[in-house]
Amino acid sequence: MKGRLLFRLYTASVLLGICFICAFRVSHFPTEGKVERWGWIGLFVAELWFSFYGFLTIVVRWNPVSRRTFKDRLSHRYEKNLPGVDIFICTADPTVEPPSLVINTALSLMAYDYPAEKLNIYLSDDGGSELTFYAMLEASRFCKIWLPFCRKFKVEPRSPAAYFGSAVEPLDDPLNYKEWLSVKESFEDMMMRIHTTTKLGKISKDIRKQHKGFREWDVVSSRRDHQTILQILLDGRDPGAVDIEGEHLPTLVYLAREKKPQYHHNFKAGAVNALIRVSSKISNSPIIMNVDCDMYSNNSECVRDTMCFFMDEEKGHEIAYVQYPQHFHNLKKNDIYASSFLVEQELELLGVDGNGGPCYLGTGCFHRRDALCGKKYSKELKINWKEVNDKTKIEESAIALEETCKVLASCTYEQNKKWGKEMGLKYGFPVEDIVTGLSIQCNGWRSVYTNPERKGFAGLGPTTLLQSLIQQKRWSEGHLQIFLSKYCPLLYGHKKIPLKLRLSYCPYNTWAANSLPTLYIVAVPSLCLLRGIPLFPKISSPWVIPFVYVAFAHRAYSLGEFLWLGGTLKGWCNLQRIWVFKRTTSFLFGFFDTILKLFGFSEQVFALTAKVADEDVSERYEQEVMEFGASSPMFSIIATLALLNLFCLAGSTLKKVIVKDTNMVEVLDQFGLQILGCCLLVMINLPIYQALFFRRDNGRLPPSTTYQSMIIALLACAIAIY
Ligand SMILES: O=c1ccn([C@@H]2O[C@H](COP(=O)(O)OP(=O)(O)O[C@H]3O[C@H](CO)[C@@H](O)[C@H](O)[C@H]3O)[C@@H](O)[C@H]2O)c(=O)[nH]1
Ligand SMILES: [Mn+2]
């Protein structure tokens, strides 16, 4: 409560400061010089944009809510009537997303603390790889010892790789220890077999004989051209599908939807939609959960937690989806690439929830099947949980289902149907999740964000600079596309969702638009410093106060917030650096690609985020050394801007020293803020100078980038001077 009051006071004071800044900009407009005038106008526009953007981020922070569940009450009332859950895992490439990673995710989900006969796990393999299929076959066997083991030892997290990677051996009880060790050994044996086949790149004859499914690959010509492959590896209805203790097993299904070069497959959205249809025939659970293949379940009670929302007697029937944060387990404490999205996950999404419901983040989300399939909210859709399990009984045998469902995952099935438009995940946007969530909300449904103490899911965030920038480009581009399409939250949500929720989408939707003002702010004031054009009030003038106050208060608030949410000081500094980098590269490219796409010049692609890295790359990440390694247009921009600021700072100092009759005090008075800004930028860019000139390892910036950026930066400085 106190925090909220303080926040509102801070907001009001900054607003006042901004008013003064505007007054200064208008009243001190330069009367002479074309360059001076345009420099001034540009800066004013950038400042106005950032003020507006700041307003949006305040809307997002205005009213955060956090939620708590009471699982014991749920079990007490509804244990017998818990609904089935269909869990979707998406994978797309066996090299970027190794099969061993995928099955650890699958195993963690199969081991949820939830009646196993009500869990159905589906894997969509857009890589159409028999290596992944083989790994799934191994998982379908290993789960028979893994699930009882999880129950007995109360394992957490239930991804075997994550668990054995950090667990302490239960040495106190010799009998238990023996059992523990034997499960660990079988797990390691299995991983070994999977690694060997993956490395080999093909399946041996012996393994081939183990399952009829491998025969499907006899006719597969490539991953872009093959028939539907659907295999039910475990059928939960089958009385024989039990673990070593005789307990039920969940259903486990492998699907590689049909691919033909002449049909667009719509990336992950297409994959999920195929799964929605196929699962409707096999298990048809009223609740659907989906995760990316790297996001294992980190909290075995998540499904129960979620049901507390869906089965709530008062409000449950209004809820379309329950979103968990995207937590990454591979990031270091200081998070040099700011991949963790700490503030977004721990604060902003709580605020969006308070404003009407969080966005759908594409992974770690539970959906009501009806809502995901495009149904509009109505009281009639209220589920009677006491009946739901009898209604969803399916009689067909597994073999028959495998045949009859194939057509649902074919390339032509969606022709002349509403899939991708009004049903399922939406097509055509690189952030299919956001636009889908928005349209569900606009159909009258509510959504909730829940962030239990023990994180629900844990995945892999990017651990190189380029990976992170490319991911950000896809996101910023996707968001801007939504903003410029008919789904623009401001218009599309009119009269459907509250204004504050529509506004809450905007800071993300307009990420890409930040690129131009940021580019201006990091380049122009420094160049003007070199040329001798003042853009800010004198240090001795009272007008300097609002500038200093707004800049200082804004950053101090941001730092305070970051530390309060559990970040480190170094982590915050890294965030500031990445903030500049991504706005001047990812967002810039995202911006222009969106414009090009608007005019039909550019095609949609989906660059997968790498989930494995070379050893020396990982080592540098551990040591918090920034990774470049290759040349990229993004790196060229970063290096050029870094050098530009260095040259401007050096050049203007030199100018003052050479021209003897300048009064140092007067110069500092006139240009104080510009010099300060330039110094800050140079400090932010220290790792860049290091990578350009001092490093010798493979992760440094290549010499070609060094030369290129030097020439451009020098040229810009020369133009500024003359
Ligand atoms: O043709 C495709 C491409 C991707 N995927 C899957 O999509 C998921 C996300 O891909 P990833 O490379 O990990 O991208 P991220 O940037 O980490 O993904 C984030 O951003 C995406 C939207 O851009 C969301 O869909 C994701 O849920 C969200 O985690 C992965 O499981 C992929 O296997 C497919 O199934 N088919
Ligand atoms: Mn990912």
Side-chain angles (χ1 to χ4, degrees):
M1 240 18 245
K2 225 176 173 182
R4 241 172 242 196
L5 190 72
L6 221 63
F7 175 68
R8 290 178 186 187
L9 269 172
Y10 149 81
T11 311
S13 68
V14 168
L15 188 67
L16 191 71
I18 291 174
C19 293
F20 276 110
I21 292 178
C22 293
F24 170 79
R25 286 278 173 233
V26 174
S27 62
H28 288 68
F29 189 73
T31 43
E32 277 161 47
K34 216 170 161 189
V35 185
E36 280 80 353
R37 284 178 173 194
W38 281 111
W40 193 274
I41 292 175
L43 197 58
F44 191 27
V45 171
E47 282 164 354
L48 286 176
W49 166 259
F50 285 127
S51 307
F52 169 69
Y53 196 77
F55 161 73
L56 292 178
T57 61
I58 283 168
V59 171
V60 168
R61 281 167 174 71
W62 205 247
N63 184 28
V65 294
S66 61
R67 299 173 186 274
R68 210 152 61 96
T69 55
F70 299 94
K71 289 184 282 287
D72 45 331
R73 290 192 205 161
L74 176 84
S75 345
H76 193 70
R77 251 183 249 174
Y78 285 115
E79 188 62 31
K80 291 236 158 51
N81 305 307
L82 290 172
V85 183
D86 290 350
I87 298 179
F88 300 169
I89 310 169
C90 289
T91 184
D93 186 323
T95 41
V96 183
E97 304 173 331
S100 53
L101 174 86
V102 177
I103 61 151
N104 270 291
T105 301
L107 285 164
S108 74
L109 300 164
M110 292 172 84
Y112 265 130
D113 171 18
Y114 200 75
E117 65 276 16
K118 291 177 182 170
L119 289 177
N120 309 281
I121 285 82
Y122 293 82
L123 175 78
S124 152
D125 181 14
D126 270 347
S129 160
E130 54 182 341
L131 301 172
T132 307
F133 177 72
Y134 163 63
M136 286 293 280
L137 180 64
E138 286 279 4
S140 72
R141 293 175 187 148
F142 180 69
C143 69
K144 292 178 184 166
I145 56 171
W146 179 244
L147 268 47
F149 178 81
C150 286
R151 285 196 296 269
K152 177 166 180 190
F153 289 91
K154 304 228 169 348
V155 166
E156 207 75 81
R158 297 196 170 179
S159 145
Y163 173 70
F164 288 122
S166 63
V168 274
E169 306 181 332
L171 288 170
D172 41 349
D173 182 345
L175 215 65
N176 272 348
Y177 181 57
K178 229 175 118 196
E179 188 186 342
W180 191 92
L181 212 61
S182 92
V183 171
K184 184 172 185 212
E185 272 161 16
S186 349
F187 173 65
E188 280 164 357
D189 289 347
M190 172 182 76
M191 289 301 262
M192 192 59 109
R193 289 195 297 276
I194 294 175
H195 281 309
T196 324
T197 10
T198 311
K199 233 182 182 165
L200 209 65
K202 61 172 198 275
I203 305 293
S204 71
K205 277 212 185 86
D206 279 345
I207 298 177
R208 251 168 208 289
K209 281 187 217 136
Q210 293 172 12
H211 198 277
K212 66 177 186 359
F214 288 112
R215 266 180 282 166
E216 295 275 355
W217 273 271
D218 295 342
V219 287
V220 167
S221 54
S222 87
R223 51 181 288 198
R224 285 189 190 81
D225 189 1
H226 61 78
Q227 78 284 16
T228 302
I229 304 172
L230 176 63
Q231 292 290 322
I232 302 179
L233 288 163
L234 289 172
D235 180 3
R237 302 165 306 161
D238 175 4
V242 287
D243 62 27
I244 50 166
E245 287 180 351
E247 296 281 331
H248 274 290
L249 285 175
T251 297
L252 185 66
V253 178
Y254 172 92
L255 171 74
R257 60 191 165 127
E258 187 187 27
K259 293 274 177 70
K260 292 276 171 255
Q262 64 271 33
Y263 292 100
H264 196 319
H265 67 268
N266 293 304
F267 310 111
K268 182 177 149 189
V272 173
N273 285 348
L275 281 179
I276 295 177
R277 294 191 296 268
V278 168
S279 68
S280 75
K281 291 283 177 272
I282 297 178
S283 48
N284 200 24
S285 304
I287 305 294
I288 288 175
M289 191 266 265
N290 82 304
V291 284
D292 296 347
C293 61
D294 56 319
M295 282 261 160
Y296 62 77
S297 148
N298 185 53
N299 178 343
S300 62
E301 298 192 319
C302 243
V303 185
R304 285 175 187 275
D305 265 327
T306 310
M307 290 312 157
C308 291
F309 294 109
F310 281 123
M311 299 174 86
D312 181 90
E313 277 154 19
E314 265 172 43
K315 295 261 177 211
H317 62 288
E318 297 173 2
I319 294 170
Y321 58 89
V322 177
Q323 177 68 57
Y324 285 78
Q326 278 203 37
H327 169 73
F328 305 107
H329 63 91
N330 62 329
L331 304 179
K332 300 276 295 176
K333 192 168 99 237
N334 293 328
D335 190 15
I336 52 171
Y337 303 120
S339 308
S340 69
F341 289 92
L342 181 73
V343 179
E344 284 82 352
Q345 312 259 1
E346 300 293 322
L347 179 67
E348 294 188 2
L349 276 161
L350 277 70
V352 183
D353 192 356
N355 286 349
C359 343
Y360 162 41
L361 301 180
T363 180
C365 188
F366 290 77
H367 284 273
R368 183 185 295 268
R369 186 181 280 270
D370 284 339
L372 194 56
C373 288
K375 292 221 175 100
K376 290 211 160 62
Y377 167 76
S378 96
K379 282 212 177 88
E380 272 81 77
L381 287 176
K382 191 167 181 171
I383 298 175
N384 183 347
W385 301 106
K386 299 224 147 100
E387 286 171 6
V388 64
N389 289 317
D390 311 323
K391 265 200 210 147
T392 48
K393 281 250 149 48
I394 284 153
E395 304 294 341
E396 251 176 296
S397 74
I399 302 263
L401 281 171
E402 283 175 357
E403 280 315 309
T404 49
C405 292
K406 271 186 183 162
V407 54
L408 299 175
S410 69
C411 291
T412 47
Y413 184 82
E414 293 182 346
Q415 278 178 352
N416 307 321
K417 296 198 178 68
K418 290 179 182 160
W419 288 95
K421 294 184 256 337
E422 278 150 57
M423 294 175 84
L425 267 65
K426 299 238 177 311
Y427 294 157
F429 298 92
V431 285
E432 73 298 326
D433 39 4
I434 304 290
V435 68
T436 304
L438 174 70
S439 87
I440 291 175
Q441 291 176 328
C442 290
N443 276 342
W445 298 94
R446 281 273 311 170
S447 63
V448 302
Y449 187 65
T450 174
N451 188 0
E453 190 107 23
R454 185 174 177 90
K455 293 281 179 252
F457 302 88
L460 296 170
T463 53
T464 70
L465 182 59
L466 196 58
Q467 281 294 340
S468 162
L469 293 177
I470 291 175
Q471 186 187 49
Q472 296 276 332
K473 184 202 159 230
R474 164 157 41 83
W475 287 352
S476 66
E477 181 182 348
H479 271 288
L480 191 62
Q481 274 180 36
I482 295 174
F483 195 71
L484 299 177
S485 74
K486 68 167 186 184
Y487 294 107
C488 174
L490 294 176
L491 306 172
Y492 185 65
H494 183 61
K495 292 203 172 144
K496 295 177 189 145
I497 52 174
L499 179 65
K500 54 187 181 178
L501 182 56
R502 279 182 273 155
L503 287 173
S504 302
Y505 273 93
C506 292
Y508 311 105
N509 287 169
T510 56
W511 264 345
N514 278 305
S515 55
L516 297 180
T518 307
L519 213 55
Y520 193 90
I521 293 247
V522 299
V524 176
S526 303
L527 287 170
C528 285
L529 171 68
L530 187 64
R531 196 184 166 100
I533 301 176
L535 290 175
F536 294 96
K538 287 185 179 170
I539 300 285
S540 57
S541 135
W543 284 109
V544 81
I545 298 171
F547 281 90
V548 172
Y549 177 74
V550 170
F552 179 79
H554 192 240
R555 287 303 81 198
Y557 167 77
S558 154
L559 175 62
E561 184 180 85
F562 195 81
L563 296 177
W564 176 62
L565 295 173
T568 62
L569 177 65
K570 233 176 158 184
W572 182 78
C573 296
N574 289 331
L575 179 67
Q576 308 308 301
R577 174 177 304 125
I578 296 301
W579 186 89
V580 174
F581 290 179
K582 74 183 186 197
R583 285 179 176 213
T584 50
T585 58
S586 313
F587 291 4
L588 189 72
F589 287 126
F591 184 80
F592 282 112
D593 259 8
T594 308
I595 306 287
L596 286 180
K597 226 161 274 169
L598 221 51
F599 293 106
F601 286 125
S602 152
E603 272 236 343
Q604 196 190 334
V605 288
F606 192 111
L608 283 181
T609 308
K611 272 110 195 156
V612 279
D614 290 346
E615 215 165 277
D616 64 327
V617 173
S618 312
E619 204 172 294
R620 282 193 285 274
Y621 181 68
E622 294 285 317
Q623 293 165 352
E624 306 190 351
V625 176
M626 207 164 255
E627 180 70 30
F628 301 95
S631 57
S632 143
M634 297 211 190
F635 292 163
S636 302
I637 295 183
I638 292 175
T640 308
L641 288 172
L643 288 175
L644 186 88
N645 277 289
L646 186 67
F647 294 160
C648 286
L649 191 65
S652 53
T653 319
L654 224 77
K655 224 167 96 182
K656 307 285 136 61
V657 176
I658 295 171
V659 187
K660 287 252 164 47
D661 57 340
T662 44
N663 180 343
M664 233 25 197
V665 178
E666 205 170 277
V667 170
L668 280 179
D669 187 27
Q670 183 76 70
F671 290 100
L673 285 188
Q674 260 156 291
I675 297 175
L676 193 72
C678 204
C679 287
L680 281 175
L681 281 165
V682 168
M683 255 161 60
I684 276 188
N685 281 312
L686 284 180
I688 304 298
Y689 309 128
Q690 237 169 8
L692 279 171
F693 303 116
F694 303 112
R695 277 167 59 182
R696 286 285 154 267
D697 56 285
N698 289 330
R700 67 178 172 154
L701 276 162
S704 58
T705 309
T706 312
Y707 299 134
Q708 196 185 7
S709 50
M710 283 241 278
I711 293 171
I712 303 176
L714 280 173
L715 222 68
C717 290
I719 294 173
I721 293 179
Y722 299 108

